[in-house]
Amino acid sequence: MIDQELKVSLGVDSIRDDFPALHQEVYGRKLIYFDNGATAQKPQTVIDSINHYYSKENANIHRGVHFLSQQATDKYEQARRTIQSYINAPREEEIIFTKGTTDGINLVAFAFGETLHEGDEIIISAMEHHSNIVPWQMVCERKGCQLKVIPINEKGELKMEAFKELISERTRLVSITHVSNTLGTINPVKEIIEIAHKNGAKVLLDGAQSIQHMKVDMQELDCDFYAFSGHKVFGPTGVGVLYGKKEILDSMPPYQGGGDMIEKVTFEKTTYNVLPFKFEAGTPNIAGGICLAKSFEYLEKLDITLVEQYERHLVEYAEEKLLKIPGMRIIGTADNKTSVVSFVIEGLHPFDIGTLLDKQGIAVRTGHHCTQPIMEEFGIPGTVRASFAFYNTTEEIDTFIQALERSINMLQ
Amino acid sequence: MTLEEKQKEIIDEFAVYDDWMDKYEYIIELGKDLPIIDEALKTNDRIIEGCQSKVWLDSKFEDGVMKFTADSDAIIAKGIIGLLIRVLNNEKPESIATCDLHFINEIGLQEHLSPTRANGLASMVQKMKLSALKAISN
């Protein structure tokens, strides 16, 4: 009953019509796409805008005197404002276009990293994606900083008491995932940000797994940096955004040198452009930026609170059914989580399960999900991960459970 | 039976399955039947680390032919290993080094031997061929 009510209120049937990739067969079976944590499918409006851009609007931006260049520049800058408005960032120059979350984190790791000194500390957590571990290890190596790691409990939640002990006046940055890609845990980021700020540390949120599931408001969160990827939020690949507070971005040196990021170049001295261009060297992913705005226009039309409720319902429905399967162990049972369910089945390899689900038309992710430290923590080689979006349904979950049971029978 | 005849035999066995799940059911049965590698041989120098699953391979050159035993922690990988061993075991190193394992494509399992699949099988075939080359050069 709740299922049908939520489904009708959100308009899931018509939403599904907007995503052409959902309507196809693989291996002669109807595709069920449960790998949204890896990348999300695109609505027709985003796909059409890519086609339209290259058919009619393609031009380089920020420097042309001609019509197409001016038009593309306007659209690209309008896209920046659309995104600024969606995440409620105070200023448009705080929206920096990147290649994606990894690129955004690396930008901060390099440029903010340049302001760090020997003995400074950076705090991350045990549930970070490799993208939010390795750039900081590189900074630590370069600048002689220390990396501290917040441990997690058996439910896959941060041990906040340990965090309070780790943070000190030496902490310059806390770089933490908003939502875990493997466990689905929604971290108490507001509390983390408050504690960090009291200690004079800045906070970067890895938003790769949060912005598509919930309302993110930069002013309400008060984070210093927030990085996300376009392709996980129903937009194109190869484009993403780094939000950063203006005064901090201003204090950081440029990340890459090249065109667009300069004010004046001479062989004696080059002066840099203002934000956001200081961090956008070279011709950017123009089509990516413009078309990413289309995915936010699409999201704007949905009621994000209903999306959250519906996705919560999907994951609870899936977990209830999964737990009836003998030998089932769900990895990541945080009280507060998004629509991700990672699991292992006693005696069976995730790779085998993933392969058999694939042959039944069901796309899931298997392996360590670029979070090897989590796998070590739970003592497992990997998991099967089903990650849902608002276009998935409980009917699809029923088919998935049947396919999973069939796979288990075959493997045992 | 020649190496080529063995490939042909496997292709014929798989020809009866037109459903993917039936095909995999068969591979899994093969995996379950495979005599696993001697536990003592599951050492780190015999391990082929894939991103997703592990493979252990032991190769010997005896009486002019190559002898392989192998194992994997994933049963589908193990079934495919069983097929590869069936084709390559007791063959002369020269035939192994130069053979084209076309049966994998023909039975539709090429995805598992793609280097990007990261299950260790592509590296395993490479190691089998390298050990054959080593046997030739010795």
Side-chain angles (χ1 to χ4, degrees):
Chain A
M1 195 58 206
I2 302 168
D3 180 52
Q4 286 310 313
E5 273 175 32
L6 276 171
K7 219 175 142 186
V8 170
S9 315
L10 188 59
V12 175
D13 286 342
S14 82
I15 285 175
R16 288 183 66 83
D17 289 341
D18 296 334
F19 290 81
L22 300 178
H23 307 283
Q24 61 180 311
E25 290 195 345
V26 293
Y27 304 109
R29 286 174 165 89
K30 224 175 128 198
L31 171 71
I32 293 181
Y33 189 76
F34 284 171
D35 195 19
N36 295 286
T39 196
Q41 298 303 341
K42 321 301 172 199
Q44 191 65 51
T45 49
V46 169
I47 300 165
D48 287 346
S49 71
I50 296 170
N51 188 22
H52 184 73
Y53 175 79
Y54 284 116
S55 305
K56 296 283 179 193
E57 297 174 338
N58 177 54
N60 210 333
I61 54 169
H62 295 151
R63 57 193 79 128
V65 291
H66 58 83
F67 179 85
L68 282 186
S69 172
Q70 193 52 53
Q71 179 181 257
T73 304
D74 290 346
K75 290 208 167 191
Y76 192 68
E77 292 309 318
Q78 180 52 46
R80 198 188 301 276
R81 287 189 289 274
T82 302
I83 295 161
Q84 175 208 350
S85 152
Y86 191 86
I87 64 173
N88 195 26
R91 302 174 186 86
E92 64 179 276
E93 64 269 31
E94 294 176 319
I95 303 298
I96 295 160
F97 281 115
T98 63
K99 288 189 286 182
T101 312
T102 301
D103 191 37
I105 295 174
N106 274 280
L107 189 162
V108 179
F110 179 83
F112 183 78
E114 278 302 286
T115 70
L116 301 181
H117 302 98
E118 197 172 339
D120 284 347
E121 293 177 0
I122 297 164
I123 295 179
I124 60 170
S125 87
M127 68 168 82
E128 299 310 317
H129 189 282
H130 295 162
S131 305
N132 197 25
I133 301 174
V134 185
W136 306 115
Q137 288 174 324
M138 290 160 71
V139 171
C140 288
E141 217 162 276
R142 204 171 77 235
K143 305 296 284 191
C145 304
Q146 287 283 316
L147 193 64
K148 305 266 171 168
V149 183
I150 312 168
I152 56 175
N153 66 20
E154 66 294 340
K155 288 162 88 177
E157 297 167 324
L158 293 178
K159 289 185 176 169
M160 289 299 284
E161 288 311 310
F163 169 58
K164 288 171 196 162
E165 280 169 28
L166 285 177
I167 197 156
S168 73
E169 73 283 357
R170 288 185 301 279
T171 311
R172 292 290 309 281
L173 182 78
V174 178
S175 189
I176 206 96
T177 193
H178 192 176
V179 169
S180 158
N181 71 312
T182 303
L183 309 166
T185 312
I186 303 171
N187 285 321
V189 289
K190 275 204 83 167
E191 191 188 346
I192 291 170
I193 292 163
E194 271 175 38
I195 296 169
H197 285 173
K198 268 185 201 150
N199 283 273
K202 307 297 181 206
V203 178
L204 182 153
L205 292 184
D206 171 349
Q209 301 290 341
S210 62
I211 191 164
Q212 63 276 53
H213 296 298
M214 60 186 75
K215 183 76 198 150
V216 288
D217 182 322
M218 293 304 111
Q219 300 191 52
E220 196 212 330
L221 283 169
D222 196 30
C223 56
D224 302 288
F225 302 102
Y226 182 92
F228 68 87
S229 300
H231 71 97
K232 291 191 204 283
V233 64
F234 315 100
T237 52
V239 68
V241 164
L242 172 73
Y243 157 81
K245 283 183 181 164
K246 184 175 185 300
E247 63 276 16
I248 306 172
L249 292 173
D250 274 334
S251 73
M252 289 158 40
Y255 171 42
Q256 291 175 328
D260 242 20
M261 56 76 73
I262 49 91
E263 182 190 51
K264 188 173 170 59
V265 177
T266 66
F267 286 115
E268 290 69 41
K269 184 170 171 58
T270 290
T271 50
Y272 304 124
N273 205 339
V274 293
L275 288 175
F277 312 111
K278 181 172 99 173
F279 291 110
E280 293 182 353
T283 296
N285 184 348
I286 305 166
I290 292 173
C291 302
L292 176 57
K294 292 284 166 200
S295 67
F296 283 102
E297 285 168 16
Y298 185 87
L299 285 174
E300 276 288 3
K301 290 186 196 143
L302 302 176
D303 178 346
I304 192 79
T305 320
L306 262 182
V307 167
E308 275 180 63
Q309 278 178 35
Y310 180 67
E311 290 184 350
R312 177 84 212 159
H313 169 65
L314 288 180
V315 75
E316 280 170 2
Y317 184 87
E319 287 183 349
E320 194 192 316
K321 299 240 161 181
L322 284 170
L323 284 169
K324 289 185 182 142
I325 295 173
M328 174 64 60
R329 180 179 169 205
I330 291 178
I331 305 295
T333 48
D335 294 337
N336 199 11
K337 64 181 280 188
T338 56
S339 50
V340 169
V341 56
S342 250
F343 62 88
V344 288
I345 296 163
E346 209 187 326
L348 301 183
H349 201 290
F351 168 79
D352 289 327
I353 296 170
T355 304
L356 294 180
L357 287 174
D358 172 50
K359 297 296 171 291
Q360 295 170 87
I362 297 163
V364 292
R365 178 92 184 259
T366 65
H368 55 60
H369 320 296
C370 297
T371 55
Q372 285 175 343
I374 295 184
M375 299 301 122
E376 208 165 299
E377 181 88 29
F378 286 95
I380 48 176
T383 72
V384 179
R385 183 189 70 179
S387 49
F388 311 117
F390 50 67
Y391 45 58
N392 292 127
T393 64
T394 49
E395 289 81 3
E396 287 181 312
I397 293 173
D398 289 337
T399 309
F400 158 67
I401 296 287
Q402 282 166 15
L404 180 62
E405 283 169 340
R406 183 171 179 197
S407 310
I408 295 167
N409 284 337
M410 281 168 71
L411 292 165
Q412 274 170 346
Chain B
M1 208 184 285
T2 65
L3 196 152
E4 192 47 48
E5 281 164 355
K6 286 190 271 186
Q7 296 207 69
K8 176 79 176 50
E9 189 183 64
I10 293 172
I11 294 164
D12 290 343
E13 279 172 26
F14 275 81
V16 300
Y17 304 116
D18 50 10
D19 183 84
W20 279 99
M21 291 302 275
D22 295 338
K23 203 180 275 188
Y24 273 86
E25 185 119 48
Y26 184 54
I27 296 166
I28 290 163
E29 290 315 314
L30 292 174
K32 286 177 181 167
D33 291 344
L34 185 71
I36 54 167
I37 197 167
D38 187 342
E39 278 300 314
L41 293 176
K42 275 181 154 181
T43 53
N44 281 343
D45 58 324
R46 290 187 182 85
I47 213 166
I48 303 166
E49 284 278 1
C51 192
Q52 297 257 356
S53 57
K54 282 181 195 167
V55 170
W56 291 267
L57 171 72
D58 182 60
S59 25
K60 277 194 214 85
F61 180 51
E62 267 177 19
D63 309 324
V65 293
M66 297 301 298
K67 308 259 187 192
F68 298 108
T69 53
D71 198 3
S72 172
D73 54 353
I75 197 157
I76 291 171
K78 208 169 143 183
I80 298 167
I81 289 169
L83 293 172
L84 289 166
I85 290 186
R86 189 166 137 199
V87 171
L88 298 177
N89 215 21
N90 295 316
E91 290 293 335
K92 289 199 179 82
E94 292 80 4
S95 329
I96 292 171
T98 56
C99 75
D100 169 18
L101 293 167
H102 60 89
F103 82 99
I104 290 288
N105 272 10
E106 287 181 47
I107 63 178
L109 297 181
Q110 61 275 25
E111 64 180 273
H112 293 289
L113 262 81
S114 140
T116 55
R117 185 77 180 193
N119 56 12
L121 290 179
S123 314
M124 184 181 109
V125 171
Q126 200 180 24
K127 281 216 168 178
M128 288 167 121
K129 290 202 166 203
L130 283 173
S131 61
L133 282 172
K134 209 170 141 195
I136 300 169
S137 62
N138 286 344

